[in-house]
Amino acid sequence: MSMATAAAGRREPAALSPTRPAGSVETFFRALAPNWHSQWAWDHYEPTILGLAHQFGLRRVCEIGGGRDPLFSVEAAARNNIVLTVNDIDAGELALTPPGLATARFDIAGDLSEPDIARGGYDLMVSRMVFEHVHDVERAWTNIHALLAPGGVALAFFPTLWAPVFALNHILPEKASRAIVHALFPGRRDDGGDPKFPAFYDQCRGSRATLEPMLRRAGFSDIHVQRFWGHGYFDRMPVLKQADHAFNALAAKIGWDFVTTYAYVVVRKDKV
Ligand SMILES: C[S@@+](CC[C@H](N)C(=O)[O-])C[C@H]1O[C@@H](n2cnc3c(N)ncnc32)[C@H](O)[C@@H]1O
């Protein structure tokens, strides 16, 4: 899944080779110095995951909600010394997972009673554009804590409220928001390669103050929330695009959490 082009005027992202202090996920991201614009998040999702795997020595990776479009091919996983398991709640999605990749069908917010569940079996759990579809995100983070090995890391990349574009998607009836998305992005029709799934946006916020209590209840103390602003939905509407970019640039400058568009939430389970 990709977004349209980046807004103009952004600085180039830093190289993904942070110096390696023994560290927390917080220090990892401080060294990475991500750009404020969400295009950085899309462009650097894979290198960030590889950087985390390298920094913290993580090999067994579970991609939550990877379905038909997992992050790594068999070859890329092998090349990067990663043992990848593709998870999804939907057996139909997993049937479309490229052959050769291991799959595990379960609900990340479920009761963990499915036979495919490996408690403590993953070093790194990642997800992209999945948490907004999860009905109980606190339960998902609690389950992730149970599924990670000691010292394991999880990264969830999701859209956030109350960015106006996602607030609209949240507030409009599913039928109406589906019609708008299908009109703007024909590839996202149900018969296309990138269907639209219903979104709940439970705990999908870009504010550390909002998320931290939940993440602590789930068992994590090493926590990082990387906030992003801006999006590509108005790329084909020049005037709106410029006005929206100016709004997001200002919001990023003053650090206005309420209107972030996306976030990476990254946690590390204690080693003992
Ligand atoms: C919008 S798609 C994103 C797919 C892929 N991660 C990407 O970035 O292209 C959301 C995926 O999450 C899966 N999903 C939704 N809720 C889930 C849950 N509770 N547990 C596991 N997977 C879930 C859906 O079946 C779907 O495959």
Side-chain angles (χ1 to χ4, degrees):
M1 179 186 295
S2 63
M3 288 286 285
T5 51
R10 293 179 293 111
R11 66 181 169 79
E12 282 303 302
L16 282 182
S17 54
T19 49
R20 312 234 175 269
S24 62
V25 290
E26 191 80 55
T27 55
F28 175 87
F29 275 88
R30 201 173 303 139
L32 205 52
N35 184 238
W36 64 268
H37 198 280
S38 66
Q39 192 63 40
W40 189 98
W42 289 96
D43 293 344
H44 292 80
Y45 178 65
E46 181 179 327
T48 300
I49 286 164
L50 291 175
L52 285 166
H54 183 62
Q55 168 111 354
F56 294 102
L58 312 169
R59 188 148 187 261
R60 296 166 298 171
V61 178
C62 174
E63 183 176 4
I64 302 160
R68 68 179 71 196
D69 192 16
L71 183 56
F72 298 111
S73 63
V74 176
E75 297 74 27
R79 200 168 51 243
N80 290 294
N81 199 27
I82 275 171
V83 180
L84 179 65
T85 301
V86 182
N87 153 266
D88 209 283
I89 193 173
D90 185 340
E93 286 295 315
L94 288 180
L96 299 170
T97 304
L101 289 171
T103 60
R105 202 205 68 75
F106 59 87
D107 177 358
I108 194 60
D111 62 8
L112 298 191
S113 63
E114 302 287 344
D116 281 359
I117 301 272
R119 282 175 189 268
Y122 301 113
D123 303 313
L124 180 57
M125 299 187 77
V126 298
S127 71
R128 185 181 66 177
M129 302 308 117
V130 176
F131 272 42
E132 70 275 27
H133 307 293
V134 172
H135 54 91
D136 182 351
V137 162
E138 177 160 351
R139 179 68 184 261
W141 283 114
T142 304
N143 286 347
I144 286 170
H145 191 269
L147 296 171
L148 282 174
V153 171
L155 182 155
F157 174 25
F158 52 78
T160 58
L161 296 180
W162 295 92
V165 279
F166 300 125
L168 196 65
N169 185 37
H170 186 48
I171 287 160
L172 283 176
E174 181 59 25
K175 221 173 151 184
S177 67
R178 190 174 286 262
I180 293 171
V181 169
H182 289 174
L184 287 175
F185 303 100
R188 304 202 60 187
R189 294 198 178 120
D190 294 343
D191 53 355
D194 186 14
K196 183 179 185 301
F197 296 86
F200 311 110
Y201 296 101
D202 179 40
Q203 299 288 343
C204 287
R205 303 291 188 276
S207 156
R208 183 179 177 119
T210 303
L211 298 178
E212 188 170 340
M214 170 193 65
L215 294 167
R216 286 189 178 274
R217 283 195 299 277
F220 297 103
S221 54
D222 186 357
I223 296 166
H224 178 72
V225 177
Q226 186 65 45
R227 307 167 299 173
F228 299 101
W229 289 264
H231 58 84
Y233 285 96
F234 298 153
D235 279 5
R236 287 186 278 161
M237 302 171 221
V239 176
L240 195 52
K241 177 184 167 178
Q242 279 164 6
D244 188 65
H245 181 74
F247 169 77
N248 280 292
L250 180 63
K253 195 170 174 191
I254 62 174
W256 192 13
D257 288 342
F258 191 70
V259 292
T260 56
T261 51
Y262 294 91
Y264 282 178
V265 172
V266 189
V267 290
R268 187 166 188 228
K269 182 170 171 172
D270 291 346
K271 279 206 156 198
V272 283

